[in-house]
Amino acid sequence: MQRLDLIPHPVCAAASRIAISAEIDRDEKDRLAFWYVVSGDISEISLPAPMPPARADDLWKRTCFEAFVGAAGTEAYYEFNFSPSGAWAAYRFDAYRQGMAVAEEIGNPEIEFIASPSCIRLGAIIRPPELLLPGKASPLRVGLSAVIEDITGARANWALAHPPGKPDFHQRDCFLLELTREARP
């Protein structure tokens, strides 16, 4: 499992009061496991109310954790959104912000959310579709990000990298992580 620090977008005002890290793993069954950890002044973060796990749109308008995943050498990618509420979303794109469709081929992820006074942790496990698995050893290009809403309603954007200009997690330059399937006996 790889652990990485997310960085706030340069216009993020509350960045100094929290830190966000993310971990990802691709197992022998080709499942992807994501973990996001927010530590620091958690009291300032607005968390959506818990609900039964279900697909939902516009999760990025509240505190939400995201992953962008595409097979290396292709323009197509998926966007996954995981809310602390238990809601989730999966979208398929043919290329950068083109051909967006709800990814019906993605089944319900396993989502776990844990909160304490100094830390929140969200984990999600998904089974990626065949589009992301053109060969069992094919690497994946991954961008990890988070939208954190504070109690005033302001949102801060966090990612492995940010392109110039306004926040845009869809930029392929943000898919910094190359994830391969480990060879197992």
Side-chain angles (χ1 to χ4, degrees):
M1 194 169 280
Q2 301 180 45
R3 184 176 186 179
L4 305 153
D5 292 328
L6 302 185
I7 57 173
H9 190 271
V11 298
C12 180
S16 63
R17 298 197 308 250
I18 62 171
I20 303 177
S21 63
E23 297 175 358
I24 182 172
D25 190 28
R26 181 178 178 186
D27 71 13
E28 70 279 354
K29 295 180 182 175
D30 283 316
R31 292 178 302 191
L32 297 178
F34 305 96
W35 281 100
Y36 299 86
V37 178
V38 181
S39 55
D41 190 1
I42 304 306
S43 67
E44 296 295 314
I45 297 175
S46 177
L47 296 172
M51 61 182 272
R55 283 186 193 260
D57 291 321
D58 296 328
L59 295 176
W60 59 272
K61 292 181 177 180
R62 303 282 323 268
T63 296
C64 173
F65 300 92
E66 302 183 348
F68 294 80
V69 182
T74 68
E75 290 187 45
Y77 64 97
Y78 282 81
E79 174 185 353
F80 301 101
N81 302 156
F82 309 111
S83 171
S85 70
W88 63 280
Y91 305 100
R92 179 180 58 253
F93 293 84
D94 297 329
Y96 172 71
R97 293 189 178 269
Q98 296 178 7
M100 179 182 171
V102 172
E104 298 290 346
E105 64 274 22
I106 303 293
N108 292 338
E110 299 172 32
I111 298 176
E112 179 180 337
F113 178 69
I114 303 166
S116 74
S118 62
C119 179
I120 59 175
R121 186 170 164 93
L122 181 135
I125 299 173
I126 63 163
R127 172 78 180 173
E130 290 302 314
L131 177 65
L132 293 180
L133 305 170
K136 293 295 184 189
S138 293
L140 299 176
R141 301 296 302 176
V142 180
L144 300 173
S145 53
V147 175
I148 304 297
E149 180 186 33
D150 71 19
I151 57 176
T152 70
R155 289 190 305 262
N157 297 285
W158 295 70
L160 293 174
H162 295 281
K166 66 180 184 175
D168 187 354
F169 301 146
H170 291 259
Q171 286 281 349
R172 202 63 180 229
D173 292 346
C174 297
F175 295 27
L176 291 184
L177 180 61
E178 183 171 278
L179 186 64
T180 59
R181 182 175 168 225
E182 298 295 324
R184 297 191 178 21

